[in-house]
Amino acid sequence: MSHEQEGLFASVDALLEQVNAEDGLPEPAERKRLRKAAGLSQEQVARALDVRRESVTSWEAGRTEPRQPQRAAYLRLLEGLAARYPAPSIAAPQLMPEPAPVSAPAPAATPAPAAAGPLPTVRRAAAKKAVANSAPPAVTDPRFAHGPLAVLDGDGSAYCVGGLVLDCPATDIVSLVEWALNEAKLGASRLHRSGKDADPLVVVTAAAAERLGLPAVLEDRRGLRLPEAHPTVKRITKAKWKLTRRGFGPWARVYRPARSGQRQCVQFAVLPWGALDARAWGSADRFPPAELARVLGSYATRVITPRGSTAVSGLELMTALRPPTRAVKDQRSEAWVSGPMPGSLAEAVDPAPPEAPDEHPVVAALHPRGHQRTPADVLDEEAFDWIRDPQLLTDAECTRKFAVGIDVNTAFLAAANRLVVGLGAPVHVTAPAFDKTVPGSWLVDLSGIELDPRLPSPFTPDGVRPHGPAWYATPTVAYAHELIATYRLPVTLTPVEAWIRPESGSYLDPWYKQLSEAYKATMADLGIESGMDERDFLTAMETCKTGDPGMAAVLSAIKSTVKGGIGKLRERPQGAGYRPGERWPALERPTWRPDIRAAVISTARVNMHRKLLRTALATQRAPLPDGHLHLADDALLPVALLSDCAVYFADGPGPLDFLPHTPEGKPAPGTFRLGVSPGMVKHEGTQELLWAVKMLDEGHNPARHIKGTDAAIDGE
């Protein structure tokens, strides 16, 4: 190629760059609005475009512009989203009255089931026009064209995600079931190819409950269900529909046996009966129907369509992402049959005796009623609840001004990441050699590991040094070996016996990924992005939950889903009629697995302790001699722990006043890091030092009250 030709080519390339710069790419703020309106996270966009998430952040902030070929693909994405989620007109609220509901039947090309930005009012005609002029839409299941759920109000308006309003003519539960299954186009596609599609969810407001003939309150406060003689229950039965064992209560399921492999089931959430627990959802049940549809739709799109409490949803999410079975071909008949899914929990198994709660039949078979199990009988893996002996406070600590709490983001979720757990039944072994790669429970004496008395023991929930042999989950024993090897402690560990699970895998990995993406996407909606400067992060966290109450409710529900889902792995018996030693329904679930719950909590607790120790070592000036873990007086040590919250004494009121950093200003390696991701920490609260010292003297845990949002200690 001649120099002249190279020059011509360079001129053409420059001209092309100029054309690309004027290709109609929306303004940065509009790019962000469109992504949020579709309920997409920056990481999802980055994966689709094969770039780093930070690149998407920069494009939305206007710091950089995408280059080809990603630019053309990004433009195509934004054009498609703009057609689905047009920017609302500023004058629309003054010029347009509340839209009348439209009839349910509609073309499949309707707004996609996601809406995480400002809720637009969408008329059906406008929606049809927008889609007609758009690029080819993303692949959507036409059966569920109107999204996963609808919030039904008293005038028959059914509010769906994306601002869509359907007209629902039903005036009783049976006709509502028929409408939801045959006309409404509600539901969600399965999360795993071998799983099940999500059933339609109809959320019933107080006004809708009256329209449907449901009482304003449930008289049966214990059973939380309508009596069998109620007209609604009779009508359901007469129409050949069925109710689950829990009947028609706050969360109800009306179904018929599947036909031709197709499920016939509708879920109901009755708001006036307390379907949305305020501990998980805040005041979401008082939101207007359209806003509630946005909130529940965001949760359904990012996590799972709610099927009960957030704890129930957390457990259901595990099964939806890891179905117990899959279709396999029978070698003899060549027919497709149901077979176990590798890596899943395929069947219910009984726990090992130390893993079982007191009520379980395996405990009743070993111990007489009333026997108090000792640490040598029972696995006690729980979260920290520890305070330091006030006599062990140093003079230097008592000269500081503040008690500052830091809180680990979704600590149990972070612990589930890449955690290997047992998949099958336990196997008993005696005098085993410990293997940190094998999940199980181990009877071993950890009392020989001596730590600085100002630190909690990592092996017990109350932080007290153990006495003699006790049962521990694999992560706890692995951490004991880590301490011995790292700090050359003169201790040898010899397990007496163990219950191990040779079949194992990272069962919770998809669950972790789904919930961590949901958590980060919702935090981004609240203005908290990954990679923020520490000071910017702390400033943004102070106001994030007041900016969008709807997304704050979603965030609360996601966090409750994590904790509740882990808790459900060891669901205890319920009901006054239960007798110890009897089986209860939860035991028949493959996901009733107290050993997995123990492994998650054990991992979260040792993760916390590891960071406590490394923070202390990063702040003391003298190096730690080999052979012991007694820290210097200038080491930064906690004064209280409660699950994922740690309280420190500091000269200033914030985390940056005490968390250690390198000379370059980076967090010290292995210590607590401020940020939004699971496992990183945020500011939990600050109180005066004398307040915390008084609580320690009285035996109370400052970490429980560091936020200052309760007055339990003063008896108020």
Side-chain angles (χ1 to χ4, degrees):
M1 183 183 297
S2 67
H3 289 294
E4 182 180 2
Q5 191 172 14
E6 286 181 358
L8 291 172
F9 279 17
S11 299
V12 169
D13 289 342
L15 188 61
L16 287 173
E17 285 295 326
Q18 181 180 348
V19 172
N20 285 338
E22 298 171 356
D23 57 9
L25 205 62
E27 290 297 313
E30 177 65 1
R31 302 168 196 174
K32 185 173 184 178
R33 185 195 73 80
L34 289 169
R35 173 181 60 79
K36 288 190 172 185
L40 298 174
S41 69
Q42 290 181 331
E43 293 192 7
Q44 288 175 296
V45 174
R47 281 199 300 269
L49 299 177
D50 195 23
V51 297
R52 297 171 64 243
R53 182 195 56 75
E54 289 78 9
S55 297
V56 180
T57 302
S58 294
W59 299 345
E60 292 184 353
R63 292 193 294 268
T64 62
E65 290 293 307
R67 296 179 178 274
Q68 298 293 5
Q70 281 79 12
R71 186 182 185 92
Y74 189 41
L75 177 61
R76 180 182 178 86
L77 170 66
L78 295 176
E79 286 177 342
L81 295 179
R84 291 165 177 263
Y85 307 102
S89 170
I90 296 176
Q94 289 130 8
L95 298 178
M96 289 177 56
E98 181 68 17
V102 295
S103 58
T110 54
L119 188 71
T121 300
V122 180
R123 288 182 180 273
R124 184 61 55 84
K128 286 163 56 174
K129 180 180 178 182
V131 173
N133 295 332
S134 70
V139 177
T140 326
D141 192 325
R143 296 173 300 159
F144 313 129
H146 297 155
L149 56 88
V151 179
L152 183 64
D153 208 3
D155 61 356
S157 299
Y159 295 83
C160 305
V161 297
L164 185 68
V165 185
L166 305 177
D167 177 43
C168 175
T171 56
D172 62 75
I173 290 295
V174 171
S175 58
L176 181 55
V177 169
E178 299 283 356
W179 174 83
L181 289 174
N182 300 322
E183 298 179 56
K185 296 185 180 179
L186 297 175
S189 300
R190 62 197 67 186
L191 296 178
H192 188 282
R193 61 181 296 181
S194 296
K196 300 174 182 177
D197 295 328
D199 300 317
L201 170 63
V202 178
V203 182
V204 180
T205 64
E210 182 178 359
R211 171 188 173 98
L212 297 169
L214 300 176
V217 294
L218 284 174
E219 294 181 3
D220 180 3
R221 302 310 301 165
R222 180 182 292 274
L224 289 178
R225 66 186 69 190
L226 289 178
E228 296 293 327
H230 192 277
T232 292
V233 178
K234 286 184 173 182
R235 196 173 289 118
I236 290 171
T237 304
K238 184 177 180 180
K240 308 299 184 185
W241 291 97
K242 296 179 180 293
L243 290 167
T244 60
R245 203 163 31 189
R246 63 186 177 188
F248 201 99
W251 288 92
R253 184 180 301 167
V254 181
Y255 71 98
R256 283 177 182 157
R259 278 189 317 206
S260 303
Q262 295 297 316
R263 288 168 62 85
Q264 300 180 85
C265 181
V266 178
Q267 307 269 350
F268 290 95
V270 186
L271 297 183
W273 297 352
L276 297 183
D277 190 331
R279 292 170 296 182
W281 290 99
S283 59
D285 62 345
R286 298 195 293 273
F287 288 172
E291 173 66 359
L292 182 57
R294 178 177 81 101
V295 168
L296 293 177
S298 295
Y299 179 91
T301 303
R302 294 172 181 181
V303 182
I304 192 172
T305 303
R307 304 181 187 184
S309 68
T310 49
V312 169
S313 297
L315 199 68
E316 292 284 348
L317 180 62
M318 295 180 195
T319 303
L321 294 167
R322 293 269 201 189
T325 59
R326 62 172 178 169
V328 295
K329 184 170 285 190
D330 183 85
Q331 297 298 325
R332 294 182 179 178
S333 65
E334 294 294 314
W336 288 97
V337 297
S338 179
M341 171 70 72
S344 292
L345 304 179
E347 59 184 4
V349 297
D350 277 342
E355 298 164 352
D358 290 343
E359 305 92 338
H360 198 281
V362 302
V363 177
L366 288 175
H367 302 292
R369 184 169 297 182
H371 170 76
Q372 184 69 37
R373 292 201 287 173
T374 68
D377 298 322
V378 62
L379 180 72
D380 186 26
E381 294 286 12
E382 300 294 342
F384 273 128
D385 186 353
W386 167 86
I387 61 172
R388 197 196 306 176
D389 182 346
Q391 300 298 319
L392 296 177
L393 296 175
T394 66
D395 292 341
E397 286 175 324
C398 292
T399 63
R400 293 170 185 155
K401 298 179 180 179
F402 299 99
V404 184
I406 53 175
D407 180 78
V408 180
N409 301 325
T410 57
F412 290 170
L413 184 61
N417 186 22
R418 297 193 297 273
L419 178 65
V420 177
V421 300
L423 300 178
V427 176
H428 185 252
V429 292
T430 56
F434 176 71
D435 185 343
K436 67 179 182 180
T437 66
V438 177
S441 300
W442 309 77
L443 182 62
V444 61
D445 188 351
L446 302 183
S447 62
I449 299 178
E450 182 182 357
L451 284 82
D452 191 298
R454 295 170 295 165
L455 273 176
S457 168
F459 312 127
T460 60
D462 60 7
V464 175
R465 185 176 175 180
H467 301 283
W471 286 96
Y472 303 97
T474 294
T476 300
V477 185
Y479 185 55
H481 280 274
E482 177 185 323
L483 291 174
I484 291 169
T486 303
Y487 303 104
R488 301 183 183 180
L489 305 180
V491 180
T492 301
L493 302 181
T494 307
V496 179
E497 58 178 307
W499 289 90
I500 62 172
R501 286 176 164 79
E503 184 186 1
S504 62
S506 301
Y507 172 73
L508 293 173
D509 267 10
W511 189 77
Y512 163 80
K513 291 174 183 175
Q514 183 91 350
L515 285 166
S516 63
E517 287 291 332
Y519 177 80
K520 289 186 286 187
T522 307
M523 289 295 284
D525 286 337
L526 292 167
I528 314 296
E529 304 273 2
S530 298
M532 294 180 76
D533 173 81
E534 289 182 318
R535 294 188 184 279
D536 292 342
F537 168 75
L538 290 173
T539 300
M541 284 295 297
E542 290 178 4
T543 58
C544 72
K545 292 185 181 180
T546 60
D548 186 338
M551 287 301 103
V554 175
L555 181 67
S556 174
I558 291 171
K559 293 194 289 187
S560 291
T561 302
V562 172
K563 288 192 174 182
I566 296 299
K568 275 280 184 180
L569 292 169
R570 195 186 67 166
E571 183 177 354
R572 310 296 276 267
Q574 301 173 18
Y578 173 78
R579 296 292 178 268
E582 298 176 350
R583 297 188 71 82
W584 60 95
L587 301 186
E588 311 313 318
R589 292 193 323 247
T591 49
W592 193 85
R593 292 294 300 272
D595 57 299
I596 296 180
R597 173 187 179 274
V600 171
I601 296 176
S602 163
T603 301
R605 195 182 65 246
V606 300
N607 283 350
M608 170 71 88
H609 193 276
R610 185 182 290 110
K611 290 183 179 179
L612 295 171
L613 181 55
R614 291 183 179 175
T615 297
L617 293 172
T619 51
Q620 69 175 29
R621 288 186 292 272
L624 186 72
D626 289 345
H628 69 77
L629 276 170
H630 290 274
L631 301 159
D633 285 347
D634 59 345
L636 181 68
L637 294 163
V639 297
L641 300 172
L642 184 69
S643 187
D644 44 13
C645 176
V647 176
Y648 284 90
F649 287 165
D651 292 322
L656 290 177
D657 294 309
F658 66 90
L659 290 179
H661 286 72
T662 66
E664 295 75 29
K666 301 292 185 182
T671 64
F672 295 107
R673 299 172 64 93
L674 290 165
V676 70
S677 297
M680 301 177 80
V681 299
K682 59 182 179 297
H683 183 204
E684 180 73 356
T686 297
Q687 301 289 338
E688 293 184 354
L689 178 129
L690 292 179
W691 170 90
V693 171
K694 181 175 182 290
M695 295 198 74
L696 293 173
D697 285 338
E698 295 175 355
H700 300 304
N701 192 333
R704 189 181 302 277
H705 311 281
I706 194 70
K707 277 187 176 180
T709 54
D710 62 75
I713 301 309
D714 294 330
E716 297 179 10

